[in-house]
Amino acid sequence: MRQAPFKDPRVKKLPFEYADITEKLVSAGLRPTRQRLLLGGLLFTDECRHVSAESLHREARAAGVEVSLATIYNTLHQFTDTGLLKEVSIEGGKSYFDTNVSAHHHFLCEESGKLTDIPGEHITLQNLPTPPMGTQISSVDVVIRLRPAN
Ligand SMILES: [Zn+2]
């Protein structure tokens, strides 16, 4: 049975099924609270998404969800800690949260700041340096920066 776990007249119709999101949260070990369900519903759609806390905040408000930016940050970090999202940091401390948690790389459009996925197998990494003593490479994330062609 697919039914919203609560009824909030301020929340407009959202494009997702709560049951799917509940299952996703529970299998990641998170309690399906109202806010996690709402934000999870915005994030976990059929397409891969890259959001910043600010962009998700705007999106939530547009959907009629009143939630503070601090709550958005907390929720994004909880989702990242439990493996539901991957954090992609670009210089200047700018963080994106990626719903594609598989190993992959990105194109970054310098003008718009938009990230686009590059499947992991589309880039061949060779001659990686030996990591410093006592460490091992955990992952390699390639960001290819784009600007308009002349
Ligand atoms: Zn990505």
Side-chain angles (χ1 to χ4, degrees), residues 14-16 37-45 49 56 59-60 63 65:
L14 295 169
F16 59 89
L37 281 170
L38 288 169
L39 296 177
L42 292 172
L43 281 167
F44 305 119
T45 61
R49 307 203 53 204
L56 185 61
E59 210 181 306
V65 180

Side-chain angles (χ1 to χ4, degrees), residues 61-144:
R61 294 179 72 107
V65 180
E66 283 304 319
V67 57
S68 70
L69 189 56
T71 300
I72 300 258
Y73 269 108
N74 287 340
T75 307
L76 286 171
H77 285 291
Q78 287 161 354
F79 285 179
T80 305
D81 291 345
T82 52
L84 293 175
L85 291 176
K86 195 162 122 172
E87 191 170 355
V88 182
S89 294
I90 309 293
E91 84 280 309
K94 175 113 178 122
S95 273
Y96 292 89
F97 295 86
D98 197 336
T99 60
N100 180 357
V101 294
S102 69
H104 68 285
H105 309 287
H106 292 100
F107 284 122
L108 169 67
C109 173
E110 290 184 327
E111 272 190 359
S112 65
K114 184 178 161 41
L115 286 176
T116 310
D117 283 350
I118 305 170
E121 69 273 15
H122 287 198
I123 290 185
T124 306
L125 297 162
Q126 282 183 314
N127 302 325
L128 289 175
T130 307
M133 190 98 106
T135 65
Q136 60 182 351
I137 294 173
S138 125
S139 66
V140 179
D141 308 308
V142 175
V143 176
I144 300 178

